[in-house]
Amino acid sequence: MNEVEFKDRVAIVTGAGGGLGKSHALALAKRGVKIVVNDLGGAVDGSGSSATMAENVAKEIKDAGGDAIANGANVTNQEDVEAMVGEAIDHFGHVDILVNNAGILRDKSFAKMAMDDFRSVLDVHVMGSAICTKAVWAHMREREYGRIAMTSSSSGMYGNFGQSNYGAAKAGLSGFMRTLCLEGAKYNIKVNALSPVAATRMTEDLMPPEILAMLDVESVSQGLVYLVCDDAPNRTILVAGAGGYAATKVFETDGVSFAPGEQTAENVAANWSKIISEDNMVEMTQGGMQGEKLLKRAAALKS
Ligand code: NAI
């Protein structure tokens, strides 16, 4: 069996004042990880703030014999996030793990959505994760150790009615994660994403109570614990919910290539079933693979 270990590790968990973030923080603390419990303490839509959410979770960890400090930084505020990372290093000596979990929801059909609601959701999920990651990146590179988790969503991978802003943000995190994996590889920085399904204040109005009762946060956090452990995987989007675990992967169809002179919309239309055929699909592990495939076939058609 794979060991799930943490040797003297310190984690920053954003949005850890409640819901999944709190559960992640408690699960990591239980395994001896020292925790910076970050939370702005606002409402689901991101309005308001309060220090008590983060403080209560830090207290709960300490009362159970763990080590934690509370932090109320807004993840979109670069200065405050940098101060949080500085405080974590002053207090614990290093930061090994970053769990980008903070998030907000402003659901509306796209027709009714104000661009401010679109921008705010992207700001918290995408810019918040980028700002927090940037604040630990140089430190992790120097120490040649880092474990980072993004929080994605099925909406980002597959779409969900009323969540154009949220879907765009969550898909953005997948591309961010996959690129960081490549750039962090030689520094032993592993980057993954979690795609959770859980009963929290974010989902309490979306599903009936009997379904919510099956969607505990604790089992989701066990998946997160593995994504950031010493022997963590890399560039995986782990789906976790109701005790189930799966991975979201990106495949590309084999497609077709046409010789010069045959590259017309009519030929694209005529070959549509071949273009979208799932025969010989390949999992893409970096952007360059696509260009390589297309150029190789273009060269073969020329010769
Ligand atoms: P939640 O609302 O309980 O947790 C989000 C936390 O982030 C809150 O405690 C909130 O105060 C904090 N937060 C929001 N904006 C912040 C900011 N600017 N700076 C610092 N903290 C901030 O909801 P939940 O469900 O626990 O969500 C956690 C993450 O999981 C989010 O990224 C969410 O999008 C994602 N997610 C949740 C799903 C679910 O089924 N619950 C499904 C897919 C994704």
Side-chain angles (χ1 to χ4, degrees):
M1 202 180 235
N2 278 354
E3 295 296 332
V4 178
E5 287 180 335
F6 295 89
K7 292 198 185 81
D8 183 28
R9 302 296 178 202
V10 177
I12 296 175
V13 184
T14 71
L20 283 162
K22 174 181 175 180
S23 169
H24 298 340
L26 295 177
L28 289 168
K30 218 172 168 184
R31 290 171 184 262
V33 179
K34 295 166 194 135
I35 313 285
V36 177
V37 180
N38 160 270
D39 206 294
L40 178 64
V44 175
D45 68 358
S47 59
S49 65
S50 144
T52 46
M53 278 176 79
E55 283 167 5
N56 288 345
V57 176
K59 184 174 180 305
E60 193 172 332
I61 290 172
K62 284 194 281 188
D63 287 350
D67 205 350
I69 54 174
N71 178 280
N74 183 333
V75 293
T76 65
N77 183 319
Q78 192 169 353
E79 218 173 284
D80 290 356
V81 167
E82 283 166 3
M84 167 176 75
V85 172
E87 193 190 331
I89 295 171
D90 285 349
H91 194 84
F92 293 125
H94 46 99
V95 175
D96 311 285
I97 299 167
L98 169 66
V99 180
N100 285 309
N101 165 80
I104 62 168
L105 218 52
R106 295 201 183 173
D107 291 2
K108 266 197 180 88
S109 67
F110 189 62
K112 292 186 185 144
M113 188 175 293
M115 282 295 99
D116 268 355
D117 289 336
F118 201 98
R119 195 172 282 115
S120 297
V121 166
L122 256 83
D123 210 25
V124 174
H125 294 272
V126 180
M127 288 313 298
S129 299
I131 286 169
C132 291
T133 303
K134 182 75 176 170
V136 298
W137 194 249
H139 175 73
M140 287 182 172
R141 274 170 48 126
E142 263 162 40
R143 297 188 74 241
E144 297 197 354
Y145 189 91
R147 300 287 181 266
I148 300 173
M150 308 294 167
T151 308
S152 192
S153 163
S154 56
S155 297
M157 300 300 121
Y158 315 125
N160 198 19
F161 196 96
Q163 295 197 318
S164 55
N165 50 359
Y166 188 77
K170 292 307 200 187
L173 288 172
S174 142
F176 182 43
M177 176 275 273
R178 288 169 196 273
T179 297
L180 289 181
C181 287
L182 301 172
E183 297 186 12
K186 79 174 194 214
Y187 304 99
N188 185 25
I189 303 175
K190 295 185 177 174
V191 194
N192 295 287
L194 181 72
S195 180
V197 191
T200 66
R201 68 179 193 174
M202 211 180 247
T203 49
E204 66 189 357
D205 297 331
L206 308 177
M207 290 178 257
E210 61 278 15
I211 300 291
L212 290 169
M214 296 171 70
L215 296 170
D216 63 293
V217 287
E218 289 82 8
S219 67
V220 175
S221 295
Q222 292 305 306
L224 181 276
V225 163
Y226 179 58
L227 289 184
V228 297
C229 76
D230 291 1
D231 196 19
N234 205 9
R235 76 177 297 286
T236 305
I237 300 177
L238 178 71
V239 174
Y245 306 89
T248 304
K249 294 189 167 205
V250 181
F251 288 79
E252 186 166 298
T253 66
D254 195 34
V256 291
S257 292
F258 303 122
E262 289 171 15
Q263 297 160 359
T264 62
E266 285 71 18
N267 258 342
V268 171
N271 287 278
W272 194 246
S273 60
K274 249 194 221 165
I275 290 170
I276 64 168
S277 162
E278 291 171 15
D279 295 343
N280 305 319
M281 287 208 299
V282 170
E283 188 190 359
M284 290 296 184
T285 52
Q286 56 173 297
M289 282 175 73
Q290 188 182 65
E292 213 173 283
K293 172 180 86 178
L294 296 175
L295 291 170
K296 213 187 214 170
R297 287 208 306 226
L301 279 169
K302 248 185 176 177
S303 61

